[in-house]
Amino acid sequence: MHGGQGPLLLLPLLAVCLGVQGQNQEERLLADLMQNYDPNLRPAERDSDVVNVSLKLTLTNLISLNEREEALTTNVWIEMQWCDYRLRWDPRDYEGLWVLRVPSTMVWRPDIVLENKSQTYSTNEIDLQLSQEDGQTIEWIFIDPEAFTENGEWAIQHRPAKMLLDPAAPAQEAGHQKVVFYLLIQRKPLFYVINIIAPCVLISSVAILIYFLPAKAGGQKCTVAINVLLAQTVFLFLVAKKVPETSQAVPLISKYLTFLLAVTILIVVNAVVVLNVSLRSPHTHSMARGVRKVFLRLLPQLLRMHVRPLAPAAVQDTQPRLQNGSLGWSITTGEEVALCLPRSELLFQQWQRQGLVAAALEKLEKGPELEPNQFCGSLKQAAPAIQACVEACNLIARARHQQSHFDNGNEEWFLVGRVLDRVCFLAMLSLFVCGTAGIFLMAHYNRVPALPFPGDPRPYLPSPD
């Protein structure tokens, strides 16, 4: 058993010895390389030499975009490659050791800061370059499909990278050369369509539906329109909290909400105008012939409205009245004034006239029993009562005619309000549909271009090969 345990113990001892020996080679190589190494000095054998630095950026996550602060948050890996002649060794001197990993603080590093752009030394000291793989320059932001996490709000359309030289900056100053990485992203609109755009369209449609209320229901119309206006204002405040406070560009969603506010305000104005027209009467307004022709004849035919034909309104009384002689007596000026008397006084006059008429009829009924002289005297005595009866009939006819004329005038103004309400409905509906379609088409065509840079045919993407 002791002879069997000897080989088992020998193998771990050999492994430990080899590990210690390998570790000693790394320590000896690190000590040799760092013996006279200064990490603050640029790795250039001569002052005129330029250090070539290759950059490669790998995007692992597009976290968020704060539109109000205009800040994009991402997770990226920056890979920089350069040659430091002070860190060379012969692997044969260190038992075939080819790779040595050391902390980044122990070696020289190019002064590159990743912000909205890359800042470096002057071109006399460092030459920035894009990394190359398989003989192809990587002119794009590299995305590892296994490590990348898709963003739920934004979609990456283009990710080019460019090496730029600023001719305005001197070659000896920083910023003369820079590598710029671009991210052209487009919003995924489903969230805003469901939570903002669709509710706004539906609420604004309710404002259009107020035209189906009667023309005289102006108060109810204004109430509905103002409620819709308040709801749209709330949505506008919600959007204003997210967009940046800039005057250089206005988001389409802000344009659309402002358009809906303007349409709703116009609907309120239309409701007030239609209510004002519908409540007019012949006592306050006189309808012109042009208004009557356009709003009561032409427009109803064009709009396919069923309007009941009205009796022709006459300014003067054209109905036949009883006149003195064969047709009786006409109403005098004093009797026309009686139309304006109180009801009690008018009834008193009618009762008085009815008493006179009854007395005259009673005398006429006794006519054959009377002598001719007495009968003529009775007719002469009854003449004022008959005249008063005719005057009362003329008064009633005049009052009924004026009431009919007044009712026809009111109905005419009401019909004008209905026609005007229908015209406003068609105008607002056309404005709402055309404006919504126009802004949606602007959003449809407001897309990221097919190529990242206008006039540059290169796609800045890896070749399909």
Side-chain angles (χ1 to χ4, degrees), residues 331-407:
I331 299 178
T332 61
T333 306
E335 292 161 348
E336 292 180 355
V337 176
L339 291 173
C340 302
L341 293 176
R343 182 177 179 84
S344 59
E345 185 175 351
L346 185 61
L347 290 176
F348 176 77
Q349 293 181 359
Q350 291 178 355
W351 291 339
Q352 184 179 8
R353 289 172 180 174
Q354 289 176 359
L356 295 175
V357 171
L361 292 176
E362 182 180 358
K363 292 181 179 181
L364 288 176
E365 290 177 354
K366 299 178 180 179
E369 300 177 358
L370 299 176
E371 297 180 357
N373 295 333
Q374 294 179 350
F375 180 73
C376 293
S378 299
L379 288 178
K380 186 176 181 181
Q381 185 179 2
I386 297 175
Q387 182 179 3
C389 180
V390 173
E391 291 174 357
C393 293
N394 286 333
L395 180 65
I396 295 173
R398 180 69 175 176
R400 290 185 62 87
H401 178 68
Q402 288 189 354
Q403 183 64 33
S404 176
H405 176 71
F406 181 80
D407 294 340

Side-chain angles (χ1 to χ4, degrees), residues 25 28-29 88-99:
Q25 292 299 327
R28 187 166 65 88
L29 175 59
R88 296 173 181 173
W89 74 89
D90 189 355
R92 293 175 296 180
D93 297 339
Y94 299 92
E95 299 181 359
L97 184 60
W98 285 88
V99 178

Side-chain angles (χ1 to χ4, degrees), residues 131-263:
S131 298
Q132 294 186 359
E133 290 183 1
D134 300 330
Q136 184 182 8
T137 304
I138 303 178
E139 295 181 318
W140 57 85
I141 298 175
F142 184 78
I143 294 180
D144 188 358
E146 297 180 357
F148 181 73
T149 303
E150 188 74 19
N151 186 269
E153 185 179 1
W154 301 94
I156 300 175
Q157 301 295 331
H158 299 290
R159 42 189 173 91
K162 264 190 174 184
M163 177 67 196
L164 301 179
L165 295 177
D166 188 3
Q172 295 79 13
E173 295 183 2
H176 177 74
Q177 58 175 348
K178 54 188 175 182
V179 176
V180 182
F181 298 94
Y182 298 88
L183 270 179
L184 279 71
I185 60 178
Q186 184 173 356
R187 187 192 303 276
K188 298 177 181 179
L190 183 60
F191 174 82
Y192 285 88
V193 168
I194 294 177
N195 293 279
I196 294 182
I197 296 178
C200 287
V201 173
L202 295 177
I203 291 175
S204 301
S205 302
V206 173
I208 296 294
L209 293 178
I210 69 172
Y211 287 103
F212 290 94
L213 293 174
K216 290 185 177 181
Q220 291 82 351
K221 289 184 176 182
C222 293
T223 301
V224 175
I226 291 174
N227 290 333
V228 172
L229 191 65
L230 293 177
Q232 293 172 349
T233 306
V234 171
F235 279 103
L236 186 61
F237 284 157
L238 293 177
V239 173
K241 291 181 179 179
K242 297 194 67 176
V243 298
E245 297 178 355
T246 177
S247 300
Q248 297 179 354
V250 179
L252 286 178
I253 189 170
S254 299
K255 293 181 180 179
Y256 183 62
L257 289 176
T258 305
F259 166 74
L260 293 181
L261 288 174
V263 171

